[in-house]
Amino acid sequence: MQLTLHLNGIPICEEIAPDTLLLDFLRAHGCKSVKRGCETSNCGLCTVFLDGRPILSCSFLAARADGHAVTTLEGLQEEAKEFTAFIADQGAEQCGFCNPGFVMNALALFRENSDPDETEIKEYLAGNLCRCSGYEGQLRGIKNFLEWKKRGGAS
Amino acid sequence: MKTVNQPVQKKDAMQLLGGQPVYVNDLAPEECLIVKLLRSPHPNALIAEIDTEAAQRAAGIEAVYTWKDVPQDGVRFTLAGQTWPEPSPQDRLLLDRHVRFVGDPVAIVAGRNERCVDRALRMIKVKYEVLDAVLDFRTAKDHPVLVHPEENWEALCDVGADNKRNLCARDADQKGDVDAVLATCDVVLERAYHTKACQQTMMEPFGAFCSIDTYGRLHIVSSTQIVFHCRRIVAKALGIPKSKIRVEKPRIGGGFGAKQTAVMEIYPAFVTWKTKKTSKLIFSRKECMTASSPRHEMEMQVRIGAMKNGHIRAIDLYTLSNTGAYGEHGPTTVGLSAHKSISLYGKLDAFRFESDVVYTNRMSAGAYRGYGATQGIYAVETAVNELAEQLGMDPIRLREQNIVREGDTMMAYYGEPNTSCALDRCIARVKEMIGWDEKYPCRDMGNGKVRGVGIGLAMQGSGISGVDVGSAALKVNDEGFYTLRIGAADMGTGCDTILAQIAAEVLECSVDEVTVFGADTDASPYDSGSYASSTTFVTGKAVEYAATELREKICALGARMLGCEAQAVSFDGERVLCELDGRSVSRAEIASASQCGNTIALESSYTHSCPTSPPPFMAGAAEVEVDLETGETQVIQYVAAVDCGTPVNPNLARVQAEGGILQGIGMTLTENITYNQDGKVLENSLMQYKIPTRQDIGHIRVEFESSYEKLGPFGAKSIGEVVINTPLPAVTAAIHNACGVWFRELPITPEKIVLGQMEKRKIST
Ligand code: FES
Ligand code: FES
């Protein structure tokens, strides 16, 4: 079947097998930031945006993205950098394998809620597993980032 | 110290956070054969017939291999990443006619894409001769059914292994007369504790891709902690010379010991060696959960004796360990259950440790952070907590009275001296951090919920005494920047950065001026690999020495340029200065000079090994809220004080500690492993196997109480493993203090708590 979509702002139109998962489609198109950590929609590593909203690309048929805009971390480098520097300052990126999914979902959170409290942060990101960090360093990084934003984003 | 003990950013931080393609599956060529395995549905069976004809002829299929392609009387091998000769028995074949657990490989299929390989897998017809299985490890020793009846099974080391008794290893060790001492103790407590085969659950699955390089050699790119061991293992499995193999690791998406076993490299390696085509195998999560290298299930019988005044005089431990179908890390993990638990106590008159490691028809175990110490510390520390209750003593007070101190000889720790130890300070710190005196033992929150606190201590090693080898090679490049080559594997731990910090400290430059390369068997200096908490301590020391040597070479060339004696110059990291007349040359000038008409190599390399393994220490305390009605349990806060010597990078050490603690909490509360009667693991996905999410933990706070270890680089010891150990006993004790029941099998699920409550009520009425 034919699939037409925008991937990180670039129009794509091509033939795909109807059972292609969005995750596999994206990786085949060079978006290697999209990771697979499970087969059961439990880890959040495959998080991407569909029309700006986070979805799990491992449990989403590519066909369903027809006519939509898909964004991966490859397409959000600048927006991400501002935030990820705060995670790096904590050393909370560790192995890094969960990072892209986590960063995508965190950006989605910030877009939806510019001032989330701790409970809201934990709730929103609950589906993003990380086995290395114990989450505490990620939380410190998020809080520092939000603080910085509140102060107007100046260093 | 300028760079050591500083919280510098990890060198790869922004690349990783930006989602750059740096992992195995990101780097594998688009055009490569997809390799998958057909796995046994039976826990113990012989392959009576296998028909692969249809599969072989299917569209897109390149090759199908079965036991018929592997000499069944050939040399067996182990997948354990250990120094040769491996203590783990040689009990594997690449494909074996005898399959020994549900998930044991039956056939290898390689084809153009996932779709056709999946199809071909379904087309293979297998007839099994199903055999009786040994599923319960308590009955495995001398069971009539043998997991390894074959004649070519072999143990290279004297570890007490005997395949005709289902024994992977057996050991005994003691000092003093335990029975006599226990007979004269006021209180003797006897308890049994049980832990399961928990999964490391690193987020990146096992994976590797293989190709044939320009020289006709097999090039393996794998997510591995052990490039050198992997080369040896693959060579043995394929029966080809090691010189024909190169193993390289890219960025690793977590290991925690899982990737200290060459779980899957042999399969794509075999395919590529046979077909001469590039191939890759990436495990599914299900394979990671059912056919990998989890923690050894253990049952520990503890006898502990003390006087009424609190003096702990003897510990007697028997550990039964379940290595599963194959013996990876079986003989070596079990010892730590005693060495790293009993040694926490310094006033003993006697100890005894006996162990059996048995084969069963379950998934093979492997190495998981803590490596047996985790299990042993859970048992002994819980026994000490139970003892405190029986003596009517505060468990912290009991420990203050009995712990090992700096300067003590640790009789259960290979008789090594305790050269650096701040355990006493760690305990004091943790007591204050959690507000012990206000909170112990519990507080009723008035809504059916009770909050209890509990404590646990831990120690680990820093590398394997007299075995682990760490090497570093350093060179000066144009402009004067440095390249550090290592064979240790950064698996998210940040060792690339930490080792660069050590080099930068010695060379008096910034961390950015040291680039790091590792690990590649062709290019890296030999390193045992990143395991056993060895990298900072062993490889770090090698880096320190290599950098010191490089300084001398820089001085030598600088002196030649300045026309003076090497003894007459000094180097401040930027310039080599002639002390006699004040003339100097810069590092960049020296670097340029090294590339023109030069005969002094601006390179150094150093190999280090340490005869002892100075333990890091730690105290941890949990505050846990238990809902007495539902059994629901939440860790409100976990506090810990760690003595890892000098933390080379406090940020990375802290995050290591926080991550390890949460893994320990997961093992205590939610990470369960159950088998059905057919020998299948039920927790075969992240849906069933519950690792903690960020909602499962209140807060973790970690502080450092550093001792200074003279044998380590700038006083450092290890941090990687010790951090997983304290939550098991601390959370167990906190739950007891909240609800009045001791749980002696992990995980402590809400069901168990509710049942425990009912049991308690029955007894009291
Ligand atoms: S890959 Fe795990 S949720 Fe998508
Ligand atoms: S950093 Fe390794 S899983 Fe999150």
Side-chain angles (χ1 to χ4, degrees):
Chain A
M1 62 172 288
Q2 199 171 58
L3 174 70
T4 311
L5 51 62
H6 275 76
L7 175 55
N8 294 325
I10 297 166
I12 295 182
C13 177
E14 70 177 52
E15 256 332 285
I16 60 160
D19 60 352
T20 308
L21 291 173
L22 183 58
L23 187 156
D24 296 317
F25 178 84
L26 293 172
R27 284 189 62 88
H29 284 77
C31 301
K32 305 282 189 192
S33 74
V34 189
K35 300 285 189 266
R36 177 180 268 120
C38 70
E39 296 94 44
T40 48
S41 316
N42 287 99
C43 72
L45 265 57
C46 59
T47 306
V48 300
F49 291 172
L50 185 79
D51 300 333
R53 285 212 309 279
I55 56 159
L56 297 176
S57 62
C58 70
S59 26
F60 198 93
L61 286 176
R64 279 178 69 197
D66 192 54
H68 294 276
V70 177
T71 316
T72 69
L73 190 50
E74 280 81 1
L76 287 177
Q77 291 288 305
E78 282 313 305
E79 184 179 340
K81 215 174 268 168
E82 159 177 293
F83 162 57
T84 53
F86 286 84
I87 300 294
D89 278 342
Q90 296 298 324
E93 72 285 350
Q94 289 240 36
C95 86
F97 205 72
C98 72
N99 291 345
F102 158 71
V103 170
M104 289 301 285
N105 221 14
L107 295 183
L109 165 66
F110 304 146
R111 285 177 179 191
E112 261 176 57
N113 181 351
S114 61
D115 190 21
D117 64 21
E118 194 175 303
T119 316
E120 289 170 324
I121 294 170
K122 286 190 171 187
E123 225 167 66
Y124 200 97
L125 299 175
N128 292 93
L129 296 180
C130 172
R131 189 58 158 171
C132 295
S133 72
Y135 307 111
E136 199 68 50
Q138 292 184 348
L139 186 62
R140 282 194 298 270
I142 291 174
K143 285 183 173 170
N144 290 349
F145 169 72
L146 292 170
E147 241 342 277
W148 174 79
K149 270 286 199 201
K150 247 191 245 170
R151 287 200 317 266
S155 51
Chain B
M1 288 180 283
K2 281 209 185 97
T3 44
V4 164
N5 200 21
Q6 298 302 316
V8 294
Q9 265 193 14
K10 207 140 71 57
K11 279 179 156 303
D12 51 2
M14 292 312 279
Q15 289 291 99
L16 299 187
L17 283 158
Q20 297 307 308
V22 292
Y23 304 92
V24 163
N25 203 21
D26 305 338
L27 300 172
E30 291 299 330
E31 287 298 313
C32 72
L33 295 173
I34 299 297
V35 178
K36 292 200 184 200
L37 304 171
L38 181 72
R39 296 177 176 282
S40 166
H42 305 293
N44 196 18
L46 289 173
I47 299 169
E49 278 172 45
I50 183 158
D51 177 2
T52 59
E53 229 189 277
Q56 229 141 9
R57 273 192 282 106
I61 294 304
E62 174 77 23
V64 180
Y65 302 107
T66 69
W67 67 268
K68 293 174 188 165
D69 300 290
V70 177
Q72 297 294 295
D73 55 356
V75 215
R76 288 183 176 262
F77 58 89
T78 174
L79 297 177
Q82 301 182 302
T83 297
W84 176 264
E86 301 108 339
S88 303
Q90 314 289 304
D91 53 14
R92 292 213 186 227
L93 291 175
L94 201 120
L95 287 169
D96 201 323
R97 189 176 178 190
H98 185 170
V99 285
R100 296 174 169 85
F101 71 96
V102 176
D104 217 358
V106 170
I108 308 172
V109 178
R112 200 174 350 131
N113 54 38
E114 299 241 353
R115 200 182 297 267
C116 70
V117 173
D118 283 335
R119 214 172 132 250
L121 283 169
R122 287 192 298 270
M123 295 161 84
I124 299 175
K125 293 197 186 67
V126 194
K127 260 206 201 116
Y128 294 95
E129 182 189 323
V130 179
L131 307 170
D132 283 342
V134 193
L135 292 174
D136 181 357
F137 76 133
R138 295 182 185 92
T139 64
K141 187 163 89 173
D142 296 322
H143 195 283
V145 174
L146 293 180
V147 178
H148 285 279
E150 68 277 5
E151 290 305 322
N152 55 355
W153 176 97
E154 195 186 359
L156 302 178
C157 299
D158 181 19
V159 293
D162 183 351
N163 60 327
K164 298 292 154 76
R165 300 185 63 195
N166 281 335
L167 275 176
C168 168
R170 185 175 167 72
D171 195 16
D173 186 15
Q174 63 173 9
K175 269 268 146 56
D177 186 339
V178 166
D179 294 318
V181 175
L182 286 175
T184 57
C185 283
D186 295 332
V187 180
V188 176
L189 193 102
E190 196 170 340
R191 296 284 185 269
Y193 302 93
H194 180 206
T195 58
K196 306 268 183 86
C198 291
Q199 283 286 354
Q200 298 87 347
T201 330
M202 62 283 157
M203 283 296 113
E204 182 201 27
F206 297 94
F209 67 90
C210 305
S211 58
I212 300 292
D213 74 7
T214 319
Y215 308 100
R217 299 163 75 218
L218 177 63
H219 183 186
I220 303 172
V221 179
S222 170
S223 182
T224 180
Q225 300 171 221
I226 42 151
V227 288
F228 288 99
H229 295 328
C230 184
R231 177 174 69 185
R232 187 189 63 241
I233 292 164
V234 172
K236 201 170 177 194
L238 269 56
I240 63 176
K242 296 179 188 75
S243 61
K244 291 280 176 213
I245 304 175
R246 169 182 174 196
V247 182
E248 186 190 350
K249 68 114 197 109
R251 229 11 47 179
I252 302 173
F256 314 116
K259 296 168 183 173
Q260 193 198 336
T261 298
V263 165
M264 45 68 63
E265 290 87 346
I266 54 173
Y267 307 109
F270 187 68
V271 168
T272 293
W273 190 249
K274 286 270 188 196
T275 62
K276 305 298 175 202
K277 291 185 181 170
T278 304
S279 76
K280 88 171 169 186
L281 170 55
I282 308 288
F283 268 16
S284 64
R285 181 57 63 185
K286 186 175 172 193
E287 287 177 297
C288 291
M289 303 305 291
T290 56
S292 50
S293 55
R295 194 182 284 291
H296 287 78
E297 175 184 29
M298 288 187 190
E299 185 166 80
M300 291 143 289
Q301 319 267 356
V302 187
R303 283 203 301 161
I304 184 165
M307 305 310 282
K308 278 205 195 87
N309 68 6
H311 175 200
I312 301 177
R313 294 182 55 210
I315 301 178
D316 185 12
L317 175 67
Y318 169 75
T319 302
L320 176 66
S321 171
N322 183 359
T323 196
Y326 300 96
E328 276 87 21
H329 301 280
T332 39
T333 40
V334 72
L336 276 71
S337 71
H339 305 154
K340 318 260 155 131
S341 60
I342 296 173
S343 305
L344 287 165
Y345 295 94
K347 313 261 175 307
L348 301 180
D349 297 323
F351 87 93
R352 178 165 58 200
F353 171 55
E354 288 175 1
S355 62
D356 286 305
V357 184
V358 293
Y359 281 116
T360 60
N361 291 111
R362 291 191 179 189
M363 161 176 30
S364 167
Y368 181 1
R369 196 180 207 172
Y371 205 78
T374 311
Q375 297 94 312
I377 283 170
Y378 159 63
V380 169
E381 282 297 279
T382 305
V384 170
N385 283 330
E386 293 201 48
L387 177 68
E389 185 190 33
Q390 223 170 82
L391 290 167
M393 267 180 93
D394 182 305
I396 289 192
R397 178 76 208 95
L398 180 62
R399 287 184 171 85
E400 286 165 345
Q401 198 180 328
N402 288 287
I403 51 163
V404 67
R405 307 264 168 178
E406 192 164 298
D408 288 353
T409 298
M410 301 175 285
M411 61 176 171
Y413 193 83
Y414 332 106
E416 288 184 15
N418 193 10
T419 43
S420 56
C421 176
L423 184 57
D424 49 347
R425 281 190 274 137
C426 289
I427 295 175
R429 190 58 174 274
V430 147
K431 187 175 174 189
E432 184 189 302
M433 283 166 83
I434 199 140
W436 184 265
D437 289 336
E438 302 81 67
K439 292 178 180 167
Y440 175 77
C442 66
R443 294 176 300 153
D444 194 328
M445 305 312 284
N447 49 358
K449 296 181 179 172
V450 181
R451 289 188 180 183
V453 290
I455 185 161
L457 309 182
M459 63 190 281
Q460 197 80 35
S462 299
I464 306 174
S465 314
V467 173
D468 281 346
V469 170
S471 305
L474 266 165
K475 67 172 176 176
V476 182
N477 304 287
D478 14 1
E479 274 180 4
F481 78 94
Y482 302 99
T483 301
L484 170 63
R485 276 183 296 125
I486 52 170
D490 192 332
M491 52 184 142
T493 48
C495 77
D496 286 358
T497 308
I498 286 163
L499 296 174
Q501 281 180 264
I502 293 170
E505 184 69 40
V506 177
L507 293 163
E508 297 181 75
C509 65
S510 76
V511 182
D512 290 339
E513 289 174 287
V514 184
T515 63
V516 184
F517 172 88
D520 181 330
T521 52
D522 271 10
S524 297
Y526 182 79
D527 197 290
S528 312
S530 284
Y531 59 85
S533 293
S534 62
T535 303
T536 300
F537 182 75
V538 184
T539 310
K541 197 70 187 174
V543 172
E544 185 192 327
Y545 285 133
T548 307
E549 207 178 290
L550 188 61
R551 282 186 70 104
E552 283 165 23
K553 297 198 171 174
I554 293 170
C555 285
L557 185 53
R560 183 185 281 183
M561 289 166 73
L562 292 166
C564 59
E565 294 291 320
Q567 295 90 300
V569 300
S570 62
F571 178 48
D572 66 0
E574 281 307 324
R575 308 188 72 81
V576 169
L577 178 91
C578 175
E579 304 277 359
L580 304 171
D581 56 18
R583 284 176 309 122
S584 69
V585 282
S586 72
R587 173 156 46 107
E589 287 162 344
I590 296 171
S592 298
S594 77
Q595 299 183 345
C596 180
N598 172 42
T599 55
I600 298 175
L602 288 192
E603 280 194 44
S604 66
S605 83
Y606 200 94
T607 292
H608 178 65
S609 185
C610 188
T612 58
S613 174
F617 292 95
M618 178 163 172
E623 182 175 8
V624 167
E625 183 173 274
V626 181
D627 185 324
L628 297 181
E629 286 306 312
T630 63
E632 202 183 321
T633 301
Q634 168 95 8
V635 178
I636 303 296
Q637 61 163 332
Y638 198 93
V639 302
V642 186
D643 166 20
C644 58
T646 307
V648 178
N649 186 322
N651 268 5
L652 301 186
R654 172 168 291 106
V655 178
Q656 281 269 313
E658 291 164 350
I661 286 168
L662 193 57
Q663 288 183 348
I665 291 173
M667 186 170 169
T668 314
L669 293 179
T670 55
E671 296 178 33
N672 205 358
I673 295 287
T674 45
Y675 279 80
N676 69 7
Q677 69 275 21
D678 305 325
K680 270 198 189 90
V681 192
L682 297 179
E683 291 77 8
N684 62 9
S685 75
L686 295 182
M687 184 96 78
Q688 286 108 334
Y689 189 76
K690 287 291 180 198
I691 66 168
T693 73
R694 66 193 79 219
Q695 284 183 306
D696 295 329
I697 177 70
H699 282 288
I700 301 173
R701 282 187 296 136
V702 174
E703 291 186 12
F704 297 101
E705 280 294 339
S706 307
S707 61
Y708 190 93
E709 175 50 59
K710 287 200 190 71
L711 296 171
F714 300 99
K717 296 187 281 189
S718 79
I719 178 99
E721 293 184 276
V722 68
V723 292
I724 197 172
N725 299 329
T726 63
L728 290 74
V731 172
T732 301
I735 292 175
H736 164 266
N737 292 339
C739 74
V741 182
W742 286 108
F743 296 94
R744 302 191 183 94
E745 183 192 65
L746 301 183
I748 307 172
T749 57
E751 295 80 358
K752 285 187 194 166
I753 292 177
V754 171
L755 287 172
Q757 293 287 304
M758 287 162 62
E759 197 64 28
K760 195 177 81 180
R761 261 178 253 134
K762 240 193 276 166
I763 292 168
S764 62
T765 54

